[in-house]
PDB file of all heavy atoms in Angstrom:
ATOM      1  N   ALA H 665     -11.698  87.589 177.271  1.00 85.00           N
ATOM      2  CA  ALA H 665     -12.214  86.649 176.303  1.00 85.00           C
ATOM      3  C   ALA H 665     -11.767  86.899 174.939  1.00 85.00           C
ATOM      4  O   ALA H 665     -10.806  87.690 174.737  1.00 85.00           O
ATOM      5  CB  ALA H 665     -13.750  86.696 176.349  1.00 85.00           C
ATOM      6  N   GLU H 666     -12.225  86.215 174.006  1.00 87.00           N
ATOM      7  CA  GLU H 666     -11.893  86.355 172.585  1.00 87.00           C
ATOM      8  C   GLU H 666     -11.922  87.795 172.060  1.00 87.00           C
ATOM      9  O   GLU H 666     -12.835  88.529 172.462  1.00 87.00           O
ATOM     10  CB  GLU H 666     -12.828  85.471 171.690  1.00 87.00           C
ATOM     11  CG  GLU H 666     -12.555  85.403 170.246  1.00 87.00           C
ATOM     12  CD  GLU H 666     -13.813  84.904 169.478  1.00 87.00           C
ATOM     13  OE1 GLU H 666     -14.917  84.727 170.109  1.00 87.00           O
ATOM     14  OE2 GLU H 666     -13.672  84.567 168.320  1.00 87.00           O
ATOM     15  N   THR H 667     -11.038  88.216 171.263  1.00 90.00           N
ATOM     16  CA  THR H 667     -10.928  89.586 170.795  1.00 90.00           C
ATOM     17  C   THR H 667     -10.920  89.499 169.267  1.00 90.00           C
ATOM     18  O   THR H 667     -10.121  88.728 168.717  1.00 90.00           O
ATOM     19  CB  THR H 667      -9.764  90.368 171.313  1.00 90.00           C
ATOM     20  OG1 THR H 667      -9.772  90.331 172.743  1.00 90.00           O
ATOM     21  CG2 THR H 667      -9.719  91.814 170.877  1.00 90.00           C
ATOM     22  N   LEU H 668     -11.645  90.392 168.598  1.00 91.00           N
ATOM     23  CA  LEU H 668     -11.663  90.348 167.132  1.00 91.00           C
ATOM     24  C   LEU H 668     -11.005  91.651 166.593  1.00 91.00           C
ATOM     25  O   LEU H 668     -10.841  92.620 167.394  1.00 91.00           O
ATOM     26  CB  LEU H 668     -13.144  90.301 166.548  1.00 91.00           C
ATOM     27  CG  LEU H 668     -14.024  89.202 167.078  1.00 91.00           C
ATOM     28  CD1 LEU H 668     -15.364  89.298 166.388  1.00 91.00           C
ATOM     29  CD2 LEU H 668     -13.395  87.837 166.778  1.00 91.00           C
ATOM     30  N   ASP H 669     -10.646  91.670 165.437  1.00 88.00           N
ATOM     31  CA  ASP H 669      -9.975  92.777 164.776  1.00 88.00           C
ATOM     32  C   ASP H 669     -10.776  94.093 164.825  1.00 88.00           C
ATOM     33  O   ASP H 669     -10.298  95.129 164.955  1.00 88.00           O
ATOM     34  CB  ASP H 669      -9.722  92.507 163.237  1.00 88.00           C
ATOM     35  CG  ASP H 669      -8.613  91.556 163.097  1.00 88.00           C
ATOM     36  OD1 ASP H 669      -7.842  91.300 164.119  1.00 88.00           O
ATOM     37  OD2 ASP H 669      -8.393  91.103 162.042  1.00 88.00           O
ATOM     38  N   THR H 670     -12.067  93.946 164.813  1.00 87.00           N
ATOM     39  CA  THR H 670     -12.961  95.096 164.758  1.00 87.00           C
ATOM     40  C   THR H 670     -13.179  95.611 166.224  1.00 87.00           C
ATOM     41  O   THR H 670     -13.808  96.748 166.371  1.00 87.00           O
ATOM     42  CB  THR H 670     -14.344  94.731 164.175  1.00 87.00           C
ATOM     43  OG1 THR H 670     -14.743  93.476 164.742  1.00 87.00           O
ATOM     44  CG2 THR H 670     -14.150  94.527 162.578  1.00 87.00           C
ATOM     45  N   ASP H 671     -12.730  95.027 167.238  1.00 90.00           N
ATOM     46  CA  ASP H 671     -12.960  95.503 168.499  1.00 90.00           C
ATOM     47  C   ASP H 671     -11.981  96.709 168.769  1.00 90.00           C
ATOM     48  O   ASP H 671     -10.971  96.814 168.153  1.00 90.00           O
ATOM     49  CB  ASP H 671     -12.611  94.403 169.570  1.00 90.00           C
ATOM     50  CG  ASP H 671     -13.646  93.281 169.533  1.00 90.00           C
ATOM     51  OD1 ASP H 671     -14.685  93.571 169.117  1.00 90.00           O
ATOM     52  OD2 ASP H 671     -13.168  92.195 169.866  1.00 90.00           O
ATOM     53  N   GLU H 672     -12.370  97.484 169.773  1.00 91.00           N
ATOM     54  CA  GLU H 672     -11.503  98.705 170.106  1.00 91.00           C
ATOM     55  C   GLU H 672     -11.232  98.668 171.600  1.00 91.00           C
ATOM     56  O   GLU H 672     -12.110  98.500 172.408  1.00 91.00           O
ATOM     57  CB  GLU H 672     -12.218  99.880 169.690  1.00 91.00           C
ATOM     58  CG  GLU H 672     -11.947 100.334 168.265  1.00 91.00           C
ATOM     59  CD  GLU H 672     -12.564 101.718 167.896  1.00 91.00           C
ATOM     60  OE1 GLU H 672     -13.138 102.354 168.829  1.00 91.00           O
ATOM     61  OE2 GLU H 672     -12.408 102.081 166.779  1.00 91.00           O
ATOM     62  N   HIS H 673      -9.947  98.944 171.936  1.00 94.00           N
ATOM     63  CA  HIS H 673      -9.582  99.282 173.259  1.00 94.00           C
ATOM     64  C   HIS H 673      -9.840  98.071 174.318  1.00 94.00           C
ATOM     65  O   HIS H 673     -10.132  98.349 175.454  1.00 94.00           O
ATOM     66  CB  HIS H 673     -10.265 100.485 173.793  1.00 94.00           C
ATOM     67  CG  HIS H 673     -10.063 101.715 172.861  1.00 94.00           C
ATOM     68  ND1 HIS H 673      -8.884 102.120 172.447  1.00 94.00           N
ATOM     69  CD2 HIS H 673     -10.928 102.555 172.391  1.00 94.00           C
ATOM     70  CE1 HIS H 673      -9.030 103.161 171.628  1.00 94.00           C
ATOM     71  NE2 HIS H 673     -10.224 103.392 171.615  1.00 94.00           N
ATOM     72  N   LEU H 674      -9.884  96.858 173.771  1.00 94.00           N
ATOM     73  CA  LEU H 674      -9.943  95.716 174.763  1.00 94.00           C
ATOM     74  C   LEU H 674      -8.520  95.245 175.107  1.00 94.00           C
ATOM     75  O   LEU H 674      -7.665  95.263 174.297  1.00 94.00           O
ATOM     76  CB  LEU H 674     -10.735  94.601 174.115  1.00 94.00           C
ATOM     77  CG  LEU H 674     -12.117  94.772 173.581  1.00 94.00           C
ATOM     78  CD1 LEU H 674     -12.753  93.487 173.033  1.00 94.00           C
ATOM     79  CD2 LEU H 674     -13.016  95.395 174.636  1.00 94.00           C
ATOM     80  N   ALA H 675      -8.353  94.984 176.369  1.00 95.00           N
ATOM     81  CA  ALA H 675      -7.019  94.438 176.772  1.00 95.00           C
ATOM     82  C   ALA H 675      -7.245  93.604 178.029  1.00 95.00           C
ATOM     83  O   ALA H 675      -8.009  93.954 178.893  1.00 95.00           O
ATOM     84  CB  ALA H 675      -6.166  95.602 177.089  1.00 95.00           C
ATOM     85  N   PRO H 676      -6.508  92.455 178.185  1.00 95.00           N
ATOM     86  CA  PRO H 676      -6.621  91.626 179.260  1.00 95.00           C
ATOM     87  C   PRO H 676      -6.352  92.342 180.584  1.00 95.00           C
ATOM     88  O   PRO H 676      -6.854  92.102 181.566  1.00 95.00           O
ATOM     89  CB  PRO H 676      -5.636  90.460 179.014  1.00 95.00           C
ATOM     90  CG  PRO H 676      -5.368  90.487 177.529  1.00 95.00           C
ATOM     91  CD  PRO H 676      -5.635  91.893 177.055  1.00 95.00           C
ATOM     92  N   ASP H 677      -5.356  93.306 180.434  1.00 95.00           N
ATOM     93  CA  ASP H 677      -4.959  94.032 181.619  1.00 95.00           C
ATOM     94  C   ASP H 677      -5.524  95.498 181.652  1.00 95.00           C
ATOM     95  O   ASP H 677      -4.998  96.340 182.329  1.00 95.00           O
ATOM     96  CB  ASP H 677      -3.399  94.072 181.776  1.00 95.00           C
ATOM     97  CG  ASP H 677      -2.776  94.854 180.653  1.00 95.00           C
ATOM     98  OD1 ASP H 677      -3.525  95.200 179.574  1.00 95.00           O
ATOM     99  OD2 ASP H 677      -1.567  95.080 180.723  1.00 95.00           O
ATOM    100  N   GLY H 678      -6.637  95.644 180.884  1.00 96.00           N
ATOM    101  CA  GLY H 678      -7.227  96.967 180.905  1.00 96.00           C
ATOM    102  C   GLY H 678      -7.678  97.253 182.278  1.00 96.00           C
ATOM    103  O   GLY H 678      -8.024  96.464 183.122  1.00 96.00           O
ATOM    104  N   ARG H 679      -7.921  98.597 182.538  1.00 97.00           N
ATOM    105  CA  ARG H 679      -8.246  99.088 183.846  1.00 97.00           C
ATOM    106  C   ARG H 679      -9.552  99.847 183.874  1.00 97.00           C
ATOM    107  O   ARG H 679      -9.963 100.413 184.821  1.00 97.00           O
ATOM    108  CB  ARG H 679      -7.156  99.986 184.400  1.00 97.00           C
ATOM    109  CG  ARG H 679      -5.817  99.243 184.481  1.00 97.00           C
ATOM    110  CD  ARG H 679      -4.725 100.032 185.145  1.00 97.00           C
ATOM    111  NE  ARG H 679      -4.995 100.258 186.540  1.00 97.00           N
ATOM    112  CZ  ARG H 679      -4.937  99.356 187.431  1.00 97.00           C
ATOM    113  NH1 ARG H 679      -4.607  98.125 187.225  1.00 97.00           N
ATOM    114  NH2 ARG H 679      -5.319  99.687 188.729  1.00 97.00           N
ATOM    115  N   VAL H 680     -10.191  99.871 182.699  1.00 97.00           N
ATOM    116  CA  VAL H 680     -11.566 100.413 182.638  1.00 97.00           C
ATOM    117  C   VAL H 680     -12.534  99.250 182.526  1.00 97.00           C
ATOM    118  O   VAL H 680     -12.430  98.410 181.703  1.00 97.00           O
ATOM    119  CB  VAL H 680     -11.739 101.344 181.362  1.00 97.00           C
ATOM    120  CG1 VAL H 680     -13.178 101.727 181.237  1.00 97.00           C
ATOM    121  CG2 VAL H 680     -10.807 102.536 181.409  1.00 97.00           C
ATOM    122  N   MET H 681     -13.338  99.089 183.605  1.00 97.00           N
ATOM    123  CA  MET H 681     -14.050  97.876 183.693  1.00 97.00           C
ATOM    124  C   MET H 681     -15.562  98.202 183.269  1.00 97.00           C
ATOM    125  O   MET H 681     -16.310  98.901 183.915  1.00 97.00           O
ATOM    126  CB  MET H 681     -14.050  97.411 185.210  1.00 97.00           C
ATOM    127  CG  MET H 681     -12.660  97.275 185.657  1.00 97.00           C
ATOM    128  SD  MET H 681     -12.395  96.084 186.949  1.00 97.00           S
ATOM    129  CE  MET H 681     -12.984  94.572 186.211  1.00 97.00           C
ATOM    130  N   GLU H 682     -15.854  97.537 182.135  1.00 96.00           N
ATOM    131  CA  GLU H 682     -17.144  97.744 181.591  1.00 96.00           C
ATOM    132  C   GLU H 682     -17.989  96.501 181.523  1.00 96.00           C
ATOM    133  O   GLU H 682     -17.469  95.570 180.940  1.00 96.00           O
ATOM    134  CB  GLU H 682     -17.091  98.479 180.187  1.00 96.00           C
ATOM    135  CG  GLU H 682     -16.512  99.765 180.240  1.00 96.00           C
ATOM    136  CD  GLU H 682     -16.729 100.689 178.895  1.00 96.00           C
ATOM    137  OE1 GLU H 682     -16.967 100.010 177.903  1.00 96.00           O
ATOM    138  OE2 GLU H 682     -16.767 101.847 179.046  1.00 96.00           O
ATOM    139  N   VAL H 683     -19.193  96.521 182.034  1.00 96.00           N
ATOM    140  CA  VAL H 683     -20.034  95.404 181.832  1.00 96.00           C
ATOM    141  C   VAL H 683     -21.461  95.978 181.962  1.00 96.00           C
ATOM    142  O   VAL H 683     -21.669  96.974 182.787  1.00 96.00           O
ATOM    143  CB  VAL H 683     -19.786  94.335 182.940  1.00 96.00           C
ATOM    144  CG1 VAL H 683     -20.142  94.774 184.406  1.00 96.00           C
ATOM    145  CG2 VAL H 683     -20.675  93.049 182.731  1.00 96.00           C
ATOM    146  N   LEU H 684     -22.375  95.402 181.266  1.00 96.00           N
ATOM    147  CA  LEU H 684     -23.722  96.099 181.264  1.00 96.00           C
ATOM    148  C   LEU H 684     -24.496  95.642 182.508  1.00 96.00           C
ATOM    149  O   LEU H 684     -25.580  95.073 182.450  1.00 96.00           O
ATOM    150  CB  LEU H 684     -24.464  95.801 179.977  1.00 96.00           C
ATOM    151  CG  LEU H 684     -25.402  96.919 179.489  1.00 96.00           C
ATOM    152  CD1 LEU H 684     -25.838  96.702 178.085  1.00 96.00           C
ATOM    153  CD2 LEU H 684     -26.579  97.119 180.481  1.00 96.00           C
ATOM    154  N   SER H 685     -23.919  95.935 183.614  1.00 97.00           N
ATOM    155  CA  SER H 685     -24.631  95.656 184.908  1.00 97.00           C
ATOM    156  C   SER H 685     -24.086  96.638 185.914  1.00 97.00           C
ATOM    157  O   SER H 685     -23.038  96.612 186.421  1.00 97.00           O
ATOM    158  CB  SER H 685     -24.263  94.267 185.416  1.00 97.00           C
ATOM    159  OG  SER H 685     -24.634  94.077 186.802  1.00 97.00           O
ATOM    160  N   GLU H 686     -24.983  97.567 186.256  1.00 98.00           N
ATOM    161  CA  GLU H 686     -24.672  98.621 187.202  1.00 98.00           C
ATOM    162  C   GLU H 686     -24.385  97.862 188.589  1.00 98.00           C
ATOM    163  O   GLU H 686     -23.504  98.364 189.353  1.00 98.00           O
ATOM    164  CB  GLU H 686     -25.778  99.555 187.449  1.00 98.00           C
ATOM    165  CG  GLU H 686     -25.966 100.624 186.286  1.00 98.00           C
ATOM    166  CD  GLU H 686     -26.603 100.010 185.037  1.00 98.00           C
ATOM    167  OE1 GLU H 686     -27.068  98.853 185.076  1.00 98.00           O
ATOM    168  OE2 GLU H 686     -26.784 100.762 184.007  1.00 98.00           O
ATOM    169  N   HIS H 687     -25.061  96.765 188.871  1.00 98.00           N
ATOM    170  CA  HIS H 687     -24.744  95.959 190.025  1.00 98.00           C
ATOM    171  C   HIS H 687     -23.276  95.509 190.107  1.00 98.00           C
ATOM    172  O   HIS H 687     -22.584  95.656 191.153  1.00 98.00           O
ATOM    173  CB  HIS H 687     -25.644  94.832 190.167  1.00 98.00           C
ATOM    174  CG  HIS H 687     -27.083  95.094 190.365  1.00 98.00           C
ATOM    175  ND1 HIS H 687     -28.057  94.930 189.450  1.00 98.00           N
ATOM    176  CD2 HIS H 687     -27.656  95.652 191.468  1.00 98.00           C
ATOM    177  CE1 HIS H 687     -29.230  95.238 189.907  1.00 98.00           C
ATOM    178  NE2 HIS H 687     -29.074  95.764 191.107  1.00 98.00           N
ATOM    179  N   LEU H 688     -22.759  95.025 189.038  1.00 98.00           N
ATOM    180  CA  LEU H 688     -21.438  94.565 188.992  1.00 98.00           C
ATOM    181  C   LEU H 688     -20.445  95.753 189.175  1.00 98.00           C
ATOM    182  O   LEU H 688     -19.457  95.679 189.908  1.00 98.00           O
ATOM    183  CB  LEU H 688     -21.062  93.740 187.807  1.00 98.00           C
ATOM    184  CG  LEU H 688     -21.843  92.401 187.642  1.00 98.00           C
ATOM    185  CD1 LEU H 688     -21.234  91.541 186.575  1.00 98.00           C
ATOM    186  CD2 LEU H 688     -21.929  91.586 188.920  1.00 98.00           C
ATOM    187  N   CYS H 689     -20.700  96.809 188.409  1.00 98.00           N
ATOM    188  CA  CYS H 689     -19.795  97.971 188.436  1.00 98.00           C
ATOM    189  C   CYS H 689     -19.751  98.519 189.974  1.00 98.00           C
ATOM    190  O   CYS H 689     -18.657  98.718 190.471  1.00 98.00           O
ATOM    191  CB  CYS H 689     -20.355  99.140 187.610  1.00 98.00           C
ATOM    192  SG  CYS H 689     -20.342  98.736 185.910  1.00 98.00           S
ATOM    193  N   GLN H 690     -20.875  98.617 190.541  1.00 98.00           N
ATOM    194  CA  GLN H 690     -20.927  99.083 191.905  1.00 98.00           C
ATOM    195  C   GLN H 690     -20.210  98.107 192.936  1.00 98.00           C
ATOM    196  O   GLN H 690     -19.466  98.540 193.765  1.00 98.00           O
ATOM    197  CB  GLN H 690     -22.408  99.304 192.322  1.00 98.00           C
ATOM    198  CG  GLN H 690     -22.626  99.679 193.768  1.00 98.00           C
ATOM    199  CD  GLN H 690     -22.447 101.086 194.168  1.00 98.00           C
ATOM    200  OE1 GLN H 690     -22.545 101.933 193.266  1.00 98.00           O
ATOM    201  NE2 GLN H 690     -22.398 101.382 195.464  1.00 98.00           N
ATOM    202  N   GLY H 691     -20.539  96.892 192.753  1.00 98.00           N
ATOM    203  CA  GLY H 691     -20.056  95.898 193.710  1.00 98.00           C
ATOM    204  C   GLY H 691     -18.493  95.739 193.491  1.00 98.00           C
ATOM    205  O   GLY H 691     -17.766  95.691 194.554  1.00 98.00           O
ATOM    206  N   TRP H 692     -18.092  95.696 192.289  1.00 98.00           N
ATOM    207  CA  TRP H 692     -16.583  95.592 192.116  1.00 98.00           C
ATOM    208  C   TRP H 692     -15.897  96.743 192.769  1.00 98.00           C
ATOM    209  O   TRP H 692     -14.917  96.651 193.375  1.00 98.00           O
ATOM    210  CB  TRP H 692     -16.333  95.614 190.542  1.00 98.00           C
ATOM    211  CG  TRP H 692     -16.551  94.378 189.859  1.00 98.00           C
ATOM    212  CD1 TRP H 692     -16.753  93.149 190.425  1.00 98.00           C
ATOM    213  CD2 TRP H 692     -16.712  94.241 188.436  1.00 98.00           C
ATOM    214  NE1 TRP H 692     -16.996  92.244 189.344  1.00 98.00           N
ATOM    215  CE2 TRP H 692     -16.962  92.829 188.107  1.00 98.00           C
ATOM    216  CE3 TRP H 692     -16.597  95.095 187.340  1.00 98.00           C
ATOM    217  CZ2 TRP H 692     -17.150  92.391 186.874  1.00 98.00           C
ATOM    218  CZ3 TRP H 692     -16.822  94.591 186.032  1.00 98.00           C
ATOM    219  CH2 TRP H 692     -17.094  93.300 185.831  1.00 98.00           C
TER     220      TRP H 692
END
Side-chain angles (χ1 to χ4, degrees):
Chain H
E666 183 195 10
T667 303
L668 307 181
D669 285 348
T670 48
D671 294 330
E672 273 185 3
H673 308 309
L674 302 184
D677 65 350
R679 305 185 62 75
V680 173
M681 307 208 59
E682 295 198 334
V683 65
L684 212 165
S685 164
E686 286 78 2
H687 292 113
L688 295 196
C689 293
Q690 170 86 14
W692 286 341

